[in-house]
């Protein structure tokens, strides 16, 4: 007996066996490879309501998109890029504080700029309007994953894959912040769906595959569409994708993708030949660097250390499914996600990048594999996963409620003092709406975990509901506190009166995200001393750690300060001393 899955009885139904004269025809062989036996098609009566899944996705998506300042590093960079685009900058040349920023393609910035422009019509700050683009791409990613699961596995499995995906710990922060990784994730999800659809509807799959390859290239680098193309080519190893019109699918997809992907580099070269050279040499291949210097195997092991928590519980469900259904891995529903996840993991492990955003590519394949075995997961394992999720998120919710009481009412006193000391500029404000919201979220979670379902589906539903509850509580309870502790708005407000109204300001040891903050909030573009030894400016802004800095020779300190509660970053503003 399989320890993780209930044994599956054999069905003595010979009617599914094709006649001998048809048994060896190509059409019959393909049908047998993609055929799902009746006992695997028959699912327990549905208790989930589609509108509940939609509501859960909305409650997961919306918190954190509005009502907060941009965080470093990604959000401050993207916010400044969007401001520059809306202020008349070149759309082919994303810039941060006046310098080209080419680590990712510009598609996400274009969509974010459009959302910011629309948000401005209803009074949203630029960064909040731009963040709506993140919600748009995340909604597309969830939709694409659900369609892929329904196409590969069958009815009602789409919601299972979506629940596994939104329960993934690593998706929370990228899925609610300004970053181009979510656009690549959405395209990757729809690319997998296009390949799943190709054996059944090749002519519908072809343009969809081409469009997703184009989005990967325009939002990421050349590496992502090449990865999707490699996946499409590798699928020809399996009979389900070795049909006559599959080559036509690839040709149509490439004819759509190639002109769109090459359009931006050509426009970039027209806008700035030097910027194009930087992109081509250093960033064109994404996690492998650029064509001038292919980089790999450093930092080796980063993603292997990241995935145990980043991809939980998807990797656990996927591993259990693969282990216990090893004799069925040659079915198309396993072949596509296994190959997609394997190719993505191979690229990341061999790459030069240590960026967590790239690991988002692994989450949809894991969700698809885990969804296959969800309905046959043995009761003991499903109960453990369910119990672990309820206990984990229940205790975390209790902690967040205590934090809310400490922030609003000073109870318990020591905890309250500690919280407020970490963000000195934070002033608590009791809001009846916030109190009502966190109460509704908590009651809804208690109702959700008390509903009876199939044990496997109950485990992932309760995990997704717990993730949504704690994320919503964290944003509602501590959102303003986090803003006060991490936002650069207070720093920009404090230094603004000290800056000159005219003349240039040099900077030293400022990271791109810090220079982006100055440009985004104050419109200040500093001259980097790292590039020009003596820019000729009469003002100098330096950044240091916790250690104190003394004024350089020939300079006089005018101001020093930091973000409230931040002991790791301190800023010093100097003015050149007058010479006789």
């Amino acid at each position: 007996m399989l320890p993780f899955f209930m044994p599956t009885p054999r069905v003595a139904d010979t009617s599914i066996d094709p006649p001998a004269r048809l048994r060896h025809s190509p059409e019959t062989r393909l049908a047998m490879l993609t055929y799902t036996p009746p006992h695997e098609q028959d699912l327990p009566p549905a208790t989930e309501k589609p509108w509940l899944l939609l509501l859960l996705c909305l409650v997961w998506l919306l918190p954190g998109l509005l009502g907060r300042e941009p965080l470093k590093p990604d959000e401050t960079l993207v916010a400044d890029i969007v401001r520059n685009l809306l202020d008349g900058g070149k759309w082919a040349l994303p810039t941060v504080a006046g310098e080209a920023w080419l680590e990712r393609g510009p598609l996400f910035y274009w969509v974010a700029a459009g959302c910011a422009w629309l948000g401005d019509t209803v009074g949203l700050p630029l960064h909040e309007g731009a963040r709506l683009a993140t919600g748009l791409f995340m909604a597309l990613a969830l939709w694409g994953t659900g369609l892929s699961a329904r196409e590969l596995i069958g009815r009602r499995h789409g919601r299972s894959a979506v629940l596994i995906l939104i329960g993934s710990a690593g998706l929370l922060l990228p899925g609610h912040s300004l970053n181009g990784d979510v656009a690549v994730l959405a395209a990757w999800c729809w690319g997998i769906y296009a390949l799943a659809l190709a054996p059944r509807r090749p002519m519908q799959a072809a343009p969809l595959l081409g469009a997703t390859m184009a989005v990967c290239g325009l939002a990421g680098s050349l590496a992502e569409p090449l990865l999707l193309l490699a996946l499409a080519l590798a699928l020809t190893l399996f009979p389900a994708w070795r049909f006559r019109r599959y080559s036509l699918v690839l040709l149509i997809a490439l004819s759509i993708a190639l002109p769109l992907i090459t359009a931006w580099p050509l426009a970039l070269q027209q806008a700035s030949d030097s910027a194009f050279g930087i992109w081509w040499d250093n960033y064109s291949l994404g996690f492998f660097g650029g064509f001038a210097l292919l980089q790999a195997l450093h930092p080796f092991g980063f993603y292997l250390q990241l995935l145990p928590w980043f991809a939980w519980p998807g990797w656990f469900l996927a591993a259990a499914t693969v282990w216990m259904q090893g004799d069925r891995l040659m079915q198309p529903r396993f072949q596509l996600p296994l190959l997609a996840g394997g190719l993505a993991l191979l690229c990341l492990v061999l790459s030069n990048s240590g960026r967590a955003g790239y690991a988002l590519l692994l989450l949809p394949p894991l969700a698809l594999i885990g969804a296959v075995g969800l309905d046959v997961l043995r009761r003991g394992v499903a109960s453990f996963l369910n119990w672990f999720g309820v206990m984990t998120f229940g205790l975390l919710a209790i902690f967040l409620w205590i934090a809310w009481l400490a922030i609003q009412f000073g109870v318990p006193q020591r905890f309250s003092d500690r919280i407020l000391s970490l963000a000195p500029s934070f002033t608590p404000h009791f809001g009846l709406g916030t109190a009502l919201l966190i109460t509704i979220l908590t009651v809804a979670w208690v109702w959700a975990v008390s509903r009876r379902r199939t044990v496997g589906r109950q485990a992932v539903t309760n995990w997704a509901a717990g993730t949504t509850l704690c994320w919503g509580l964290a944003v509602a309870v501590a959102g303003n506190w986090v803003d006060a502790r991490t936002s650069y708005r207070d720093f920009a407000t404090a230094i603004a009166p000290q800056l000159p109204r005219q003349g240039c300001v040099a900077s030293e040891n400022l990271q791109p995200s810090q220079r982006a903050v100055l440009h985004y909030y104050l419109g200040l573009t500093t001259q980097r001393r790292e590039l020009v030894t003596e820019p000729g400016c009469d003002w100098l802004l330096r950044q240091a750690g916790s250690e104190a800095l003394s004024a350089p020779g020939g300079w006089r300190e005018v101001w020093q300060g930091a973000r409230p509660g931040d002991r790791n970053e301190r800023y010093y503003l100097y003015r050149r001393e007058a010479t006789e």
Side-chain angles (χ1 to χ4, degrees):
M1 182 182 294
L2 301 177
F4 283 83
F5 290 83
M6 295 295 292
T8 303
R10 296 185 179 274
V11 177
D13 183 6
T14 58
S15 64
I16 66 173
D17 191 35
R21 61 186 177 84
L22 299 177
R23 192 172 300 160
H24 301 293
S25 68
E27 293 78 9
T28 301
R29 287 200 301 269
L30 178 59
M32 293 176 67
L33 284 168
T34 58
Y35 180 76
T36 302
H39 64 270
E40 293 181 15
Q41 294 175 350
D42 294 337
L43 301 177
T47 58
E48 304 94 336
K49 302 293 188 293
W51 67 268
L52 287 177
L53 176 65
L54 178 61
L55 180 61
L56 180 64
C57 291
L58 287 175
V59 175
W60 183 89
L61 276 172
L62 295 179
L65 293 181
L66 304 177
R68 62 180 181 85
E69 297 295 319
L71 302 176
K72 76 168 192 177
D74 287 344
E75 289 204 309
T76 55
L77 295 170
V78 176
D80 190 44
I81 291 172
V82 170
R83 177 174 292 282
N84 179 69
L85 292 177
L86 294 178
D87 287 345
K90 296 179 180 179
W91 285 70
L93 181 61
T95 59
V96 171
E99 296 181 7
W101 189 258
L102 305 166
E103 288 190 0
R104 307 291 274 169
L107 178 62
F108 180 80
Y109 311 141
W110 298 341
V111 177
C115 291
W117 180 79
L118 291 175
D120 183 62
T121 61
V122 294
L124 288 179
L126 183 145
H127 53 272
E128 293 187 16
R131 210 179 280 126
L132 295 177
T134 300
L136 173 63
F137 281 114
M138 277 309 310
L140 289 173
L142 297 177
W143 187 13
T145 300
L147 290 176
S148 299
R150 182 179 178 86
E151 183 67 31
L152 283 172
I153 311 170
R155 62 183 181 88
R156 292 181 52 206
H157 287 282
R159 69 185 68 183
S160 301
V162 170
L163 291 172
I164 295 172
L165 189 60
I166 67 176
S168 300
L171 193 60
L172 268 179
L173 290 180
H176 296 87
S177 62
L178 278 170
N179 67 92
D181 297 320
V182 294
V184 176
L185 173 65
W188 177 246
C189 293
W190 281 85
I192 292 175
Y193 172 59
L195 292 172
L197 186 65
R200 189 168 64 90
R201 294 185 175 178
M203 291 302 98
Q204 287 87 343
L208 181 59
L209 180 61
T212 57
M213 292 174 65
V215 172
C216 281
L218 291 173
S221 67
L222 299 181
E224 287 87 355
L226 288 174
L227 175 61
L228 191 53
L229 177 60
L231 172 61
L233 293 174
L235 285 173
T236 58
L237 296 172
F238 306 118
W241 283 270
R242 285 205 300 266
F243 57 92
R244 292 180 180 177
R245 290 195 289 178
Y246 188 63
S247 57
L248 181 60
V249 169
L250 298 184
L251 287 175
I252 294 174
L254 287 174
S255 67
I256 294 173
L258 285 177
L260 294 175
I261 293 174
T262 56
W264 173 64
L266 292 176
L268 176 63
Q269 189 174 30
Q270 292 292 322
S272 173
D273 192 62
S274 60
F276 172 80
I278 294 173
W279 172 80
W280 181 262
D281 291 343
N282 300 284
Y283 305 115
S284 54
L285 295 179
F287 33 75
F288 287 112
F291 283 98
L293 182 61
L294 290 173
Q295 301 173 353
L297 297 178
H298 180 77
F300 185 76
F302 171 82
Y303 293 101
L304 299 180
Q305 297 174 8
L306 176 76
L307 289 178
W309 69 266
F310 190 89
W312 177 270
W315 71 262
F316 172 77
L317 294 169
T321 301
V322 170
W323 179 259
M324 294 305 159
Q325 298 199 12
D327 58 334
R328 302 179 182 179
L329 297 185
M330 292 309 294
Q331 296 176 348
R333 59 181 179 175
F334 283 109
Q335 291 167 342
L336 176 54
L338 279 175
L339 194 56
L343 286 175
L345 181 61
L346 179 64
C347 288
L348 296 182
V349 168
L350 296 178
S351 74
N352 184 56
S353 170
R355 180 185 175 92
Y358 289 133
L360 294 175
L361 298 178
L362 298 173
L363 299 183
L366 291 175
L368 293 174
I369 299 169
V372 175
L374 200 58
D375 287 317
V376 289
L377 193 65
R378 193 169 182 178
R379 180 175 295 274
V381 176
S383 298
F384 168 77
L385 185 62
N386 182 49
W387 171 86
F388 182 69
V390 170
M391 291 297 296
T392 299
F393 295 116
L395 292 174
L396 183 54
I398 292 173
F399 171 80
L400 290 170
W401 268 97
I402 294 174
W404 181 74
L405 293 173
I407 290 173
Q408 299 298 334
F409 305 107
V411 179
Q413 183 66 43
R414 293 183 61 184
F415 189 32
S416 176
D417 293 342
R418 178 59 177 165
I419 291 177
L420 297 179
S421 68
L422 293 175
S425 65
F426 173 68
T427 303
H429 295 285
F430 177 79
L432 183 60
T434 300
L436 183 62
L437 175 62
I438 62 177
T439 301
I440 292 174
L441 286 175
T442 306
V443 171
W445 175 76
V446 173
W447 172 77
V449 299
S450 61
R451 295 183 69 214
R452 296 181 63 85
R453 308 177 189 85
T454 309
V455 288
R457 291 175 180 268
Q458 185 177 29
V460 296
T461 301
N462 290 348
W463 192 278
T467 303
T468 304
L469 166 72
C470 291
W471 175 250
L473 288 180
V475 171
V477 170
N480 292 333
W481 179 85
V482 172
D483 244 4
R485 179 170 170 78
T486 62
S487 170
Y488 280 91
R489 178 179 287 277
D490 290 339
F491 158 70
T493 302
I495 196 176
Q498 312 299 328
L499 293 170
R501 294 183 179 273
Q502 296 181 345
C504 67
V505 178
S507 64
E508 183 178 308
N509 203 31
L510 262 63
Q511 300 299 317
S513 60
Q514 296 159 345
R515 299 181 65 249
V517 163
L518 294 170
H519 190 259
Y520 178 70
Y521 285 114
L522 306 176
L524 173 65
T525 302
T526 62
Q527 307 297 317
R528 296 172 58 192
R529 296 186 81 190
E530 294 87 352
L531 300 180
V532 181
T533 305
E534 190 57 52
C537 298
D538 291 332
W539 296 80
L540 172 64
L541 179 63
R542 304 173 75 189
Q543 186 256 325
S546 56
E547 72 282 357
L549 286 182
S550 57
W555 296 85
R556 174 175 57 86
E557 183 179 306
V558 176
W559 175 88
Q560 64 169 285
R563 290 184 298 170
D566 190 347
R567 301 178 181 178
N568 298 319
E569 293 179 8
R570 193 153 192 87
Y571 300 89
Y572 299 83
L573 182 64
Y574 305 102
R575 185 172 185 176
R576 191 188 302 274
E577 292 182 339
T579 57
E580 296 293 339

